[in-house]
Amino acid sequence: MAFDLESLSEATSGAIGALVSTTMLYPLDTCKTKFQAEIRSHNRQKYRNTADVFWEAVSNNQVLSLYQGLGTKNLQSFTFQFIYFYGYSFFKKLYLKKSGSKSIGTKANLALAAAAGACTVIVTQPLDTASSRMQTSEFGKSKGLWKTLSEGTWSEAFDGLSISLLLTSNPSIQYTVFDQLKQRVLQQQLHNKTASSKAALSAFSAFVLGAVSKCAATCLTYPAIRCKVTLQAAKSEEDGSNESQSKSPKTIADALCTIWRREGICGFYKGLEAQILKTVLSSALLLMVKEKIAKTTWVLILALRRFMFVSVSRLKSS
């Protein structure tokens, strides 16, 4: 088959799930990102925690600014998840066909997920950089997608690409753990049902499995996540202190040294609680929505395919 409809169904349902989770949790994501982007000595910190970012927006009557960059973030999330789920599903089916096996081992699953993630990151990195700059801009001063990207060079649109490629291990770990846990749960359900009944994850089960898998991946990769945010953050215009006037980190080594010098080893885990809360909820919601609409998406794609086939046949016969 020239076009894999099953992979297309997986990609579409995953992308829709990404849109829902991103939109619902975007204010938390903005607060978390602004808190992570601040690199200052302890006696100069503007934000003590993520909640301080939220209350700053409230006190300045800029609550709607918590949604600055939402359109770009949704575009990035939809594109990322669509390409990722399509590539992951396609590579998985191709592997099973070539190997002749009925299931995929953990190592092969990790390799397939990493390959799909790497391809996706390269395509969506400019959108990721732009959305991070919009979120870390001063409240009420965020610019549009094109203006944000055009202010810098083309290479600056790919700031943090090397870390993003490294972070492909994050969804790789997450979806591998989720798939393995899902198979175990479904196998257990099949033992408790008749042979003719088809097992399916409940919304609650998908939510819990998604939360557990993402929590494990986030804890392992968080120092890299913090470095990536500092590389992509918008430049501060608040004060004239030496710290704010010093050059922003441009490389991974710069980010590591800056965080170490100003915040110590604990700085590499600054905002970890908010990151876990956001990513766990986001991934759990994404996978829950994906699992619940996967069947509907498949039916709609088959119906669309049949409609297009009938239309083409009528055109040929006329």
Side-chain angles (χ1 to χ4, degrees):
M1 181 183 286
F3 199 73
D4 190 347
L5 290 179
E6 186 173 346
S7 296
L8 178 62
S9 175
E10 284 283 308
T12 303
S13 57
I16 293 174
L19 281 180
V20 174
S21 63
T22 298
T23 303
M24 291 181 64
L25 300 173
Y26 195 73
L28 173 61
D29 189 36
T30 298
C31 294
K32 180 266 304 178
T33 303
K34 285 181 72 69
F35 180 60
Q36 289 173 327
E38 183 187 46
I39 310 178
R40 298 184 183 181
S41 302
H42 291 292
N43 60 338
R44 294 179 178 271
Q45 286 182 351
K46 179 180 179 181
Y47 305 121
R48 294 169 300 173
N49 49 53
T50 307
D52 284 350
V53 183
F54 174 78
W55 290 117
E56 180 193 20
V58 173
S59 62
N60 293 331
N61 296 321
Q62 294 285 348
V63 177
L64 291 180
S65 293
L66 292 172
Y67 290 91
Q68 59 189 24
L70 175 60
T72 301
K73 191 70 171 183
N74 271 336
L75 177 60
Q76 186 262 340
S77 297
F78 185 90
T79 305
F80 184 96
Q81 295 297 337
F82 184 90
I83 298 174
Y84 181 86
F85 275 109
Y86 185 87
Y88 179 71
S89 178
F90 180 81
F91 288 150
K92 187 165 67 171
K93 289 187 65 178
L94 185 64
Y95 175 85
L96 292 174
K97 182 178 179 182
K98 295 294 184 181
S99 64
S101 59
K102 295 183 179 180
S103 61
I104 301 178
T106 302
K107 292 183 179 179
N109 215 338
L110 277 171
L112 294 177
C119 295
T120 306
V121 162
I122 294 173
V123 175
T124 61
Q125 186 63 28
L127 291 174
D128 184 40
T129 300
S131 64
S132 293
R133 289 178 183 172
M134 291 177 185
Q135 287 182 307
T136 54
S137 298
E138 298 302 316
F139 286 130
K141 297 182 180 180
S142 178
K143 302 170 184 176
L145 171 60
W146 178 251
K147 193 169 185 180
T148 300
L149 291 176
S150 61
E151 284 183 340
T153 63
W154 180 246
S155 62
E156 289 178 344
F158 287 88
D159 281 346
L161 176 60
S162 56
I163 297 183
S164 295
L165 290 173
L166 175 64
L167 287 174
T168 56
S169 60
N170 191 301
S172 299
I173 296 171
Q174 177 200 351
Y175 293 121
T176 298
V177 173
F178 181 83
D179 275 348
Q180 298 300 318
L181 292 176
K182 177 183 174 181
Q183 289 179 17
R184 291 176 180 271
V185 172
L186 293 180
Q187 288 175 0
Q188 185 64 34
Q189 289 182 1
L190 285 174
H191 285 302
N192 300 329
K193 292 185 177 182
T194 60
S196 59
S197 62
K198 186 176 181 180
L201 279 182
S202 65
F204 179 75
S205 296
F207 186 93
V208 172
L209 296 187
V212 171
S213 60
K214 191 60 178 181
C215 186
T218 300
C219 291
L220 290 173
T221 59
Y222 186 75
I225 294 173
R226 176 86 203 281
C227 288
K228 176 171 158 301
V229 172
T230 61
L231 289 174
Q232 295 178 329
K235 293 181 176 61
S236 175
E237 300 176 355
E238 288 193 333
D239 56 16
S241 65
N242 291 333
E243 285 188 344
S244 64
Q245 286 182 344
S246 61
K247 293 183 179 179
S248 301
K250 293 295 182 183
T251 64
I252 300 176
D254 287 344
L256 291 171
C257 291
T258 302
I259 294 173
W260 174 268
R261 186 174 64 254
R262 297 182 184 176
E263 300 178 346
I265 191 170
C266 293
F268 293 108
Y269 291 92
K270 176 183 176 180
L272 175 61
E273 300 87 350
Q275 181 73 33
I276 289 178
L277 177 63
K278 184 264 172 182
T279 54
V280 167
L281 289 177
S282 176
S283 297
L285 285 170
L286 186 157
L287 293 171
M288 181 181 70
V289 173
K290 175 182 174 293
E291 288 293 325
K292 299 312 293 182
I293 69 171
K295 293 181 180 179
T296 303
T297 304
W298 176 243
V299 171
L300 290 175
I301 288 177
L302 290 179
L304 180 61
R305 180 194 181 195
R306 183 172 182 179
F307 173 77
M308 294 177 65
F309 178 77
V310 171
S311 299
V312 172
S313 299
R314 288 179 178 176
L315 287 174
K316 288 182 179 180
S317 60
S318 60

